[in-house]
Amino acid sequence: MRGVGRPWPPRTAVLAGVGGTLGIGAVGSIALLFGTPLLIAPLGSTCMMIFGAPHAPFAHPRNVLGGHTICTLVGLLGVRVLGNAPWTIAAAVGLAMALMGLTRSFHPPAGGDTVLVMLAQPGWLFLFVPVLLGCVILLGIAMAFHNAHSAGSYPVSSVPTRREVIAAEE
């Protein structure tokens, strides 16, 4: 996969950077427009994945939405039931990882949601705003962006072969 152990071709690097700028820019602009805090660190990591490695299984919309939902819910439940001691945060992250794996919705950036929620202790609406709304905005921008410069490239319907990934990024 490109970006792992070797540099990207210039076109791939520029497109990933432009896509990431548009994605986080859209989330930030909507946040300003509606006065709603949408910019959270896990969404920055998600942005990196869906624009920098859109063919990776972890970047599929199912994984993005499922992973962020599971990790946020585990954090919200965990902090209310167990508090936010370091060991409870660790247990919640482990539980979230297991649940993402069991549901085929593993998305590494979402693990940050569990930690963030347990430290900040927001209300239940945090799941919807900023987490799910931010994910939907990023995924919408990613679909429009990737499909505009490479017809039908995101989301992929199956895990591509190495050859397909290289061809799509050149």
Side-chain angles (χ1 to χ4, degrees):
M1 180 180 298
R2 297 259 185 219
V4 178
R6 56 190 167 164
W8 288 342
R11 180 178 188 274
T12 300
V14 168
L15 286 172
V18 169
T21 300
L22 292 173
I24 290 296
V27 173
S29 296
I30 291 170
L32 285 174
L33 183 66
F34 292 103
T36 304
L38 291 176
L39 289 174
I40 57 173
L43 291 182
S45 299
T46 292
C47 185
M48 294 280 188
M49 189 164 284
I50 63 178
F51 289 101
H55 291 46
F58 298 152
H60 292 187
R62 168 192 170 87
N63 294 58
V64 171
L65 292 170
H68 280 286
T69 299
I70 288 167
C71 288
T72 301
L73 284 173
V74 167
L76 288 167
L77 288 169
V79 77
R80 277 148 185 84
V81 173
L82 302 171
N84 67 350
W87 70 269
T88 62
I89 295 172
V93 169
L95 175 60
M97 288 176 65
L99 291 173
M100 284 190 295
L102 289 170
T103 59
R104 296 182 319 121
S105 57
F106 201 82
H107 182 66
D113 292 332
T114 307
V115 175
L116 175 63
V117 166
M118 293 189 76
L119 291 174
Q121 301 181 31
W124 291 98
L125 290 179
F126 188 84
L127 173 62
F128 302 101
V129 176
V131 176
L132 291 178
L133 180 58
C135 287
V136 168
I137 293 167
L138 282 177
L139 289 170
I141 298 294
M143 287 178 196
F145 178 78
H146 287 302
N147 293 324
H149 76 77
S150 179
S153 70
Y154 185 82
V156 293
S157 58
S158 63
V159 177
T161 65
R162 184 177 189 283
R163 182 173 291 151
E164 291 169 332
V165 170
I166 291 170
E169 292 180 344
E170 292 179 341

